């Protein structure tokens, strides 16, 4: 099937990046969020991020205008009814995702593909609650979406070949590379990455090192572009904790136990960059380590 119009549900840091790359690749995009402010902020950020590409000469000013004109926003999920592919990128909570798919079903076309950008939640389980488990897939972008090359494609137990191949074609048209993962908790990238981040929080919790020494060690000692605590703040500590909980519950192994310090930060509402406070304090000019 040919995909021309893409719906994006959730206009947070992932949703805005997904809308950005889809519109630049020539797809019509309809973006939805519960918050009008989030949608306005997402549009402004997309404009700013494409401007960076224009100033580097990788995108022309005409391409920018055309891409921005292809993006519309709506508070009504019913307005995603004509989309060929809908990518859900709302908060990493299964109940929220289920409610979104339940609310979408009465409005969408018979052959619309439903996808989730979830970092960890079972695609098979999300799909089983819809009327089209064979047309449901995990479409997992990496953050920041305009920069990162990878998209994980996760087939639920019922995902059919037509759906999978249509999504592979979308990934190619976005200029990205797909890797296929079986549907097990947190898939491939987060199965490996998130226990490392959780271990970094344990190292902080146990006083093995400070925020700076842990991040400096991994940046200069393992050549990671960001230290694990900086990366956790970038991803969002709520999302990191949600992923650890899915690993812990889904694989029933204590090695995935979320660090109590990570839980405490989330309980405090210190979610990282998006709330201006996490392992670093982002309220000033430069981020300041908090421990
Ligand atoms: C949690 C999950 O489910 C899965 C995940 O996503 S896990 C997270 C995966 N992501 C990572 O691991 C990111 C690790 N960090 C990095 O790769 C780099 O630090 C980074 C690319 C984010 C920034 O790189 P940097 O060299 O420090 O900064 P900077 O030079 O300013 O930016 C590099 C490029 O990224 C762009 N960029 C930086 N932040 C951006 C953002 N938030 N949005 C869009 N573009 C961004 C810049 O414009 C620049 O573009 P060009 O290459 O075209 O010049
Ligand atoms: N952060 C990351 O690095 C990555 C995250 N992901 C996944 O992408 C998804 C989104 O994460 P991210 O963008 O970081 O999260 P954010 O918190 O930045 O954004 C989530 C957005 O979804 C909105 N939202 C909540 N409920 C609904 C709803 N019922 N309908 C529509 N929108 C809703 C939120 O609004 P409000 O704030 O008002 O609640 C918010 O604007 C998650 O599943 C996450 O696991 C995948 C790859 C990387």
């Amino acid at each position: 099937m040919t995909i021309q119009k893409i719906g994006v549900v959730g206009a947070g840091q992932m949703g805005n990046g997904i809308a950005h790359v889809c519109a630049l690749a020539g797809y019509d995009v309809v973006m939805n969020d519960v918050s009008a402010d989030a949608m306005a902020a997402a549009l402004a950020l997309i404009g700013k991020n494409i401007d960076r590409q224009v100033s580097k000469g990788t995108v022309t000013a005409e391409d920018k205008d055309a891409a921005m004109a292809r993006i519309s926003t709506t508070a009504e999920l019913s307005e995603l009814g004509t989309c060929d592919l809908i990518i859900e990128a709302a908060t990493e909570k299964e109940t929220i995702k289920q409610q979104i798919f339940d609310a979408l079903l009465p409005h969408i076309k018979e052959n619309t593909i439903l996808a989730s950008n979830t970092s960890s939640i079972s695609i098979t389980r999300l799909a089983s609650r819809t009327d089209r488990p064979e047309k449901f897939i995990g479409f997992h972008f990496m953050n920041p979406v305009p920069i990162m090359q990878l998209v994980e494609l996760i087939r639920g137990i019922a995902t059919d070949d037509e759906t999978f191949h249509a999504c592979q074609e979308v990934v190619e048209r976005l200029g990205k590379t797909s890797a296929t993962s079986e549907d097990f908790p947190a898939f491939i990238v987060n199965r490996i990455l998130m226990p490392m981040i959780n271990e970094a929080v344990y190292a902080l919790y146990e006083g093995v090192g400070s925020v700076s020494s842990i991040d400096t060690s991994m940046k200069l000692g393992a050549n990671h572009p960001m230290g694990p605590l900086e990366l956790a703040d970038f991803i969002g500590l709520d999302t990191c904790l949600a992923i650890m909980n899915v690993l812990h519950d889904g694989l029933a192994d204590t090695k995935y136990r979320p660090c109590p310090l990570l839980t405490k930060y989330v309980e405090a509402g210190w979610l990282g960059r998006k709330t201006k406070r996490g392992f670093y304090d982002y309220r000033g000019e430069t981020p300041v380590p908090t421990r």
Side-chain angles (χ1 to χ4, degrees):
M1 76 171 285
T2 308
I3 290 169
Q4 186 45 43
K5 191 169 183 182
I6 298 181
V8 179
V9 182
Q13 56 179 339
M14 294 307 289
N16 89 65
I18 296 167
H20 170 155
V21 296
C22 290
L24 266 187
Y27 293 105
D28 293 322
V29 177
V30 190
M31 191 164 52
N32 160 273
D33 197 285
V34 280
S35 149
D37 288 350
M39 284 190 283
L43 275 182
L45 191 55
I46 293 169
K48 204 172 125 201
N49 282 337
I50 303 184
D51 278 340
R52 288 205 270 190
Q53 293 171 287
V54 173
S55 65
K56 284 184 187 122
T58 51
V59 165
T60 65
E62 293 74 39
D63 290 339
K64 181 199 167 185
D65 292 344
M68 294 306 288
R70 281 186 209 109
I71 305 175
S72 60
T73 58
T74 176
E76 303 300 328
L77 280 177
S78 57
E79 290 186 30
L80 273 64
T82 54
C83 292
D84 308 306
L85 165 68
I86 299 176
I87 304 174
E88 168 279 314
T91 311
E92 186 74 347
K93 284 197 181 135
E94 191 160 342
T95 47
I96 289 181
K97 293 182 186 298
Q98 281 173 350
Q99 281 161 11
I100 288 169
F101 290 117
D102 286 350
L104 275 170
L105 287 180
H107 306 290
I108 59 179
K109 299 185 292 181
E110 202 182 330
N111 61 350
T112 298
I113 295 176
L114 291 177
S116 177
N117 186 53
T118 176
S119 299
S120 60
I121 298 166
S122 165
I123 297 303
T124 301
R125 201 164 58 233
L126 287 173
S128 73
R129 290 177 50 103
T130 71
D131 60 357
R132 61 193 71 202
E134 69 290 349
K135 296 207 171 302
F136 196 106
I137 193 163
F139 206 121
H140 184 209
F141 289 86
M142 305 295 135
N143 187 13
V145 179
I147 300 300
M148 304 299 281
Q149 267 300 306
L150 183 77
V151 176
E152 270 185 306
L153 288 178
I154 303 110
R155 297 183 73 145
I157 201 165
T159 310
D160 65 20
D161 287 343
E162 194 189 359
T163 301
F164 179 70
H165 293 311
C167 291
Q168 268 186 321
E169 274 176 32
V170 174
V171 175
E172 277 167 33
R173 187 161 149 193
L174 297 179
K176 297 196 183 287
T177 304
S178 61
T180 312
S181 170
E182 289 298 322
D183 185 22
F184 289 104
F187 322 124
I188 296 172
V189 171
N190 286 322
R191 172 79 177 259
I192 298 167
L193 177 70
M194 212 41 77
M196 183 200 71
I197 287 178
N198 193 47
E199 199 59 31
V201 186
Y202 269 113
L204 180 68
Y205 177 63
E206 292 169 10
V208 180
S210 65
V211 169
S212 317
S213 54
I214 290 168
D215 276 351
T216 302
S217 298
M218 293 307 286
K219 278 197 283 193
L220 303 186
N223 260 7
H224 289 197
M226 286 176 168
L229 300 171
E230 186 189 357
L231 181 57
D233 276 358
F234 181 61
I235 291 167
L237 302 189
D238 52 341
T239 303
C240 293
L241 179 61
I243 297 168
M244 285 313 298
N245 279 325
V246 168
L247 281 166
H248 192 227
D249 296 345
L251 298 169
D253 190 327
T254 52
K255 76 178 176 182
Y256 300 113
R257 189 172 72 105
C259 179
L261 186 62
L262 179 61
T263 306
K264 191 183 277 193
Y265 270 59
V266 173
E267 284 172 352
W270 297 353
L271 306 183
R273 276 184 180 270
K274 63 184 165 188
T275 58
K276 299 205 179 304
R277 186 164 187 162
F279 295 113
Y280 292 82
D281 186 332
Y282 299 93
R283 287 171 294 182
E285 282 268 296
T286 46
V288 178
T290 55
R291 275 168 190 260

